[in-house]
Amino acid sequence: DIQMTQSPSSLSASVGDRVTITCRASQSISTYLNWFQQKPGKAPRLLIYAASSLQSGVPSRFRGSGSGTDFTLTISSLQPEDFATYYCQQSYSTLWTFGQGTKVEIK
Amino acid sequence: QVTLRESGPALVEPTQTLTLTCTFSGFSLSTSGMCVSWIRQPPGKALEWLARIDWDDDKYYSTSLKTRLTISKDTSKNQVVLTMTNMDPVDTATYYCARSIAARTSADYWGQGTLVTVSS
């Protein structure tokens, strides 16, 4: 199975900060990489698909990049509603796998 | 409007079989490309993909759980059913169903999830 490794596992940031989360795949997955946001008690929400495409309704401050094995999710200016846990997920294989998550907390 | 809703028991005893139903609307699993997956999340832990069924009845299972899982669909009822045998307390989790379109795309719509606790 393809392993997905996110870093960091958690971070503290302030409103207005630029935040970057990285995700590494154990083998090349082209651009079949997706990012989700999850808030406590809620289902995950798709933010970015195919590494860099913004899902409908998602603010443009979210940006995804990368290909092959290394990917990045960037939040250009952190807003209060962005404090959540973020997961990467590969859909290259029919057997999906998720990263372990990155919790973004308020500094 | 696409919606999905999970249903099933909130409490299951160890060694029992869990049966969960995903009832959806706004799309049809007989439409080419449509897929429904099950994903779970133990309390405070990460998401774990379990299984997927496609419009053409192709089925895929998590490598680590495939001996315990069965996924099926009833297109006429707009339902997908997941069974998991030999439940253990480590299987305590919120179970989600989610839709995806076509191979290699991601889950764009999710149910609200249902918490299943395994305990005697």
Side-chain angles (χ1 to χ4, degrees):
Chain A
D1 293 5
I2 299 173
Q3 307 296 324
M4 306 301 295
T5 303
Q6 284 181 239
S7 61
S9 56
S10 66
L11 64 90
S12 295
S14 300
V15 173
D17 284 353
R18 179 184 182 91
V19 168
T20 300
I21 300 168
T22 63
C23 178
R24 175 165 288 178
S26 61
Q27 67 179 73
S28 178
I29 57 171
S30 184
T31 56
Y32 296 104
L33 189 283
N34 312 291
W35 290 98
F36 293 87
Q37 177 193 65
Q38 187 180 33
K39 296 181 179 179
K42 300 293 187 181
R45 171 196 181 196
L46 179 63
L47 297 177
I48 302 284
Y49 63 94
S52 60
S53 295
L54 201 64
Q55 178 70 353
S56 176
V58 174
S60 58
R61 63 181 180 273
F62 291 93
R63 189 174 75 87
S65 63
S67 66
T69 60
D70 294 314
F71 302 88
T72 301
L73 173 69
T74 301
I75 309 172
S76 59
S77 178
L78 199 65
Q79 298 302 300
E81 61 268 29
D82 300 337
F83 292 95
T85 300
Y86 294 84
Y87 293 93
C88 63
Q89 175 249 332
Q90 64 80 19
S91 52
Y92 177 84
S93 166
T94 51
L95 309 186
W96 290 356
T97 44
F98 290 86
Q100 79 277 19
T102 296
K103 187 173 184 178
V104 177
E105 299 175 299
I106 301 172
K107 182 183 282 186
Chain B
Q1 179 190 3
V2 173
T3 65
L4 302 98
R5 185 183 75 252
E6 305 86 354
S7 58
L11 180 65
V12 174
E13 292 188 0
T15 75
Q16 283 190 333
T17 294
L18 171 68
T19 299
L20 294 172
T21 300
C22 176
T23 303
F24 55 87
S25 63
F27 68 98
S28 172
L29 248 185
S30 61
T31 300
S32 178
M34 291 295 174
C35 314
V36 171
S37 291
W38 285 94
I39 298 120
R40 71 178 179 180
Q41 185 173 39
K45 295 189 177 181
L47 299 163
E48 179 185 20
W49 176 82
L50 301 176
R52 189 183 96 197
I53 189 164
D54 294 352
W55 81 100
D56 58 1
D57 212 37
D58 279 348
K59 301 166 187 175
Y60 306 92
Y61 296 101
S62 161
T63 300
S64 60
L65 292 169
K66 61 183 176 183
T67 61
R68 299 174 52 205
L69 296 173
T70 302
I71 192 169
S72 62
K73 64 182 172 73
D74 186 331
T75 304
S76 65
K77 292 183 179 179
N78 281 349
Q79 291 182 333
V80 171
V81 175
L82 180 76
T83 63
M84 181 180 292
T85 61
N86 194 24
M87 292 292 285
D88 183 272
V90 301
D91 297 313
T92 293
T94 296
Y95 287 76
Y96 297 98
C97 61
R99 182 198 83 160
S100 56
I101 301 175
R104 290 180 161 178
T105 62
S106 191
D108 57 353
Y109 287 92
W110 294 60
Q112 64 190 19
T114 186
L115 176 62
V116 178
T117 301
V118 184
S119 174
S120 54

